[in-house]
Every structure is written in structure tokens, then in C-alpha cells.
Amino acid sequence: MNIGEIARRAGVSRSTVSYVLSGKRTVSEATRQRIQAVIDELDYRPNASARALKEGRTRTLGLVIPPASQRLTDMQLGFVASVVEAAARHDLDVLLSPSGGDHDRSFERIVTGRRVDGVVLMEIRLEDDRVTRLARTGLPFVTIGRTAEAHAMSWVDIDYAGLIARCVHHLADLGHRHVALVNRSAELVAAGYGPSHRALAGFQAAVAERGLVGTDVCCGDDTASGEACVEQLLVTHPEITAVATINEAALPGMQRALTAAGLAVPADFSVTGVAAQHWAEDFRPPLTAADVPMREMGAEAVSLLLEIIAAPGSLPRHRLYSPPISLRSSTGPVRVR
């Protein structure tokens, strides 16, 4: 059953039926009652688009992701999947939009085109023009990650500073004195990528607190970069006995470099960090790590966004996740070389 059949039976135009369903234009009471009688007789249920039109909403959320030209990491894809799944549970669609570089027009269409009821924004920089743009428009939004001054916006995030600090303390408790942080790429750090800067701050604070010697390096988000990074570390800093990392995509390469150097994990070298659970469990031996709860974070972001859409004047809400360090098999007491 569709609007055309209702219009035929009620003896009116399709547009008149649409006006009754949407409430966008006034229709005489007699005509409205005639149309409503047909609707009741046919037990017609408007589809999602018609309901949205009547509610004045699109029933669509925007999810702004990194540029499509970049290969998304598994963690980024996990956040995308979690947001889509959470939206589906609320009978909502998700419109994906890349941002950055040549894709700013797509983001601008999301902001100004009235195509979505609200936006979830990923991969946040400490100073992020996209956040400023959304705040100025009044379009409801929630971020996965947060800017340097994030009190006035709603967000969910991982406590990278605290978690990396805990990783360093764990290594120090095992007797490691020379440790390294394998961060994300130099390009992300230069762009002010929040997780990279907070991880570095946490690393430096913990190293200073425990009186360790710390080295930090940037690394691309791929296997080859991880391998090259650790190879270089072992050459330039042979005294290092352990690394902490937030670069899960580099883990397979890091493992390959350690194996090639004849270093057994954890007997000769320890590895720990912050990663998605499947990356940690695929490492050999399984990685001691703080497992990022992507599914919960995506669901929380959608829940916060729906609250803002329903109550635009509500106070900003924040959720900082600090999961426990899962002690697996990749860390052990330092071995005197």
C-alpha cells in the first residue's frame, strides 16, 4: 500500500495525502478526515521517510570519517561499525562523510545541507576546525576524541595519557629502565592529533616519575613502518628493553623486526600498549594491553547525540574510558644482556 492508492480511494491528489501525513500544509478538516478514514481502513503505516518528514527530522545521523584516500585502521573501522550498529538499533540511518584535504566539500554539505539530524565526528585534533564549524551552526554533534578545550562539547574518548602511563609503570615494575614509545605517524603528530599528544604526555610523565630513560618515535600505520621503526630503534638505542605503543596497525611489523633481531618476547624484549582486543590477541605472544572498547564507545556516542537532538539545550556530557591493562604474555622481567 502506498500514498497513490490512498489518494485514489480518497479522491484527492497524492500531494494532499502527503500534506496530511507530514502536517506541512493546512488541509480542510473534511478532506483530512476522509483521508484519515482511508488510512485507517487500509491500516496504512507511513514508511521511515514519511515519519521523519512529519517529525521534522531526517532520521539520519552523519558520521564524519578521515579522508577516503587514506586506509582506515582497524580501530577506525571498528568505530564506524559500532556507530552504524548503534544507530540501527534506534531505527536510524548513517550517512558517511570523509573530511580533510579535498573532502571538505563533503563535510560542508553535511553541515549546511540539512541532510542529518546530528553528527558523530571522529579523529579529533587538539585544535579542530571541524568542531568549531559544527559549534557555530548549532547542528547537534558528539566527538569520538576531544579537543584541547573540550568542556563545552559532548565527547567520548580513551584516556591515552593515563593508559600509556600505566603501561610504563608496569614495565618499570618489571625492572625495565630503558623504554620507548612507538607513537602514530609524524604527520598526525604535526597535525595535533589528540591521542598522539596525550600518549606522549603520559609516557613522559611516567618516565620522569619512575626515573627511567625514555625514547619516543613516530611510526606510520602499517606493517612495513612498524618493522622499520623497531629496526631503527634497536640500532640507535640497543639498550632499550621494552616498548609501549598506541599504533596497533604497526604491531605485526614490530613483531617481525624483533624476530629478525633474534629477540624473544618477553624473555628478551617486552611489548605493551593500547590496542583493539583482536590486535592484542593476534600478537605473538598475546599482547599485554589496554583493550579499546570500540563497541561501547560507539554506542555511547550515539546515545549522547540522541540526547542532544531531543534536548538541544542540555549540558555537554563527557565519557573518558580507562579500561584495565589486560595482562597477557608479551611483558616480563627485564633480562640482563
Side-chain angles (χ1 to χ4, degrees):
M1 187 55 57
N2 55 38
I3 288 178
E5 178 63 15
I6 294 172
R8 187 185 67 79
R9 294 197 180 201
V12 298
S13 67
R14 291 171 60 95
S15 60
T16 302
V17 176
S18 296
Y19 297 152
V20 169
L21 291 173
S22 67
K24 291 294 184 180
R25 290 193 184 181
T26 302
V27 175
S28 71
E29 183 61 20
T31 300
R32 191 195 66 77
Q33 289 182 1
R34 189 163 74 252
I35 292 172
Q36 189 61 53
V38 174
I39 289 173
D40 293 342
E41 177 187 351
L42 299 176
D43 194 26
Y44 174 75
R45 295 292 182 270
N47 62 25
S49 296
R51 291 199 308 271
L53 185 63
K54 186 172 183 178
E55 295 166 2
R57 295 179 180 170
T58 66
R59 297 197 63 80
T60 301
L61 304 181
L63 176 58
V64 180
I65 60 176
S69 58
Q70 296 181 1
R71 184 181 69 84
L72 297 182
T73 67
D74 276 23
M75 189 178 295
Q76 290 168 340
L77 289 172
F79 281 126
V80 171
S82 67
V83 169
V84 171
E85 289 173 4
R89 289 194 291 272
H90 293 278
D91 193 26
L92 300 172
D93 296 324
V94 175
L95 177 62
L96 296 181
S97 172
S99 67
D102 296 331
H103 301 279
D104 284 338
R105 288 190 300 276
S106 176
F107 174 66
E108 193 63 23
R109 286 194 296 271
I110 286 285
V111 173
T112 62
R114 303 182 64 85
R115 304 165 72 186
V116 299
D117 297 324
V119 170
V120 175
L121 186 63
M122 291 174 48
E123 299 297 284
I124 306 301
R125 298 182 290 272
L126 295 178
E127 301 293 333
D128 203 309
D129 292 339
R130 301 169 304 167
V131 171
T132 303
R133 180 77 177 94
L134 284 167
R136 286 175 179 169
T137 66
L139 182 66
F141 73 96
V142 169
T143 61
I144 298 177
R146 66 195 192 278
T147 61
E149 299 293 334
H151 58 277
M153 52 190 270
S154 291
W155 49 263
V156 299
D157 200 4
I158 288 285
D159 182 13
Y160 282 100
L163 292 177
I164 286 296
R166 280 160 51 189
C167 288
V168 172
H169 287 300
H170 170 62
L171 294 173
D173 290 342
L174 293 170
H176 295 275
R177 309 303 300 168
H178 297 266
V179 298
L181 172 68
V182 176
N183 210 326
R184 299 288 295 277
S185 71
E187 291 78 12
L188 282 175
V189 173
Y193 181 58
S196 293
H197 285 261
R198 292 188 174 99
L200 179 58
F203 177 78
Q204 292 174 334
V207 163
E209 182 179 344
R210 299 301 292 266
L212 309 182
V213 179
T215 301
D216 61 273
V217 294
C218 293
C219 180
D221 297 335
D222 58 82
T223 297
S225 296
E227 184 174 11
C229 176
V230 170
E231 285 178 350
Q232 184 67 19
L233 267 178
L234 295 176
V235 170
T236 57
H237 299 279
E239 70 280 5
I240 288 175
T241 59
V243 300
T245 185
I246 64 167
N247 194 331
E248 60 179 23
L251 281 170
M254 295 167 60
Q255 184 174 49
R256 185 182 300 172
L258 292 171
T259 300
L263 297 175
V265 177
D268 302 313
F269 201 96
S270 289
V271 184
T272 184
V274 182
Q277 183 175 350
H278 78 275
W279 277 107
E281 293 177 345
D282 285 347
F283 196 78
R284 289 294 175 266
L287 186 72
T288 292
D291 301 333
V292 176
M294 296 176 294
R295 188 183 186 92
E296 293 88 339
M297 290 178 69
E300 181 74 6
V302 170
S303 177
L304 288 178
L305 182 57
L306 294 181
E307 289 181 16
I308 296 170
I309 292 170
S314 57
L315 294 174
R317 292 182 56 192
H318 315 133
R319 177 72 184 274
L320 186 64
Y321 287 78
S322 186
I325 304 292
S326 296
L327 297 176
R328 297 187 176 97
S329 309
S330 66
T331 52
V334 66
R335 178 177 179 178
V336 179
R337 299 176 183 175

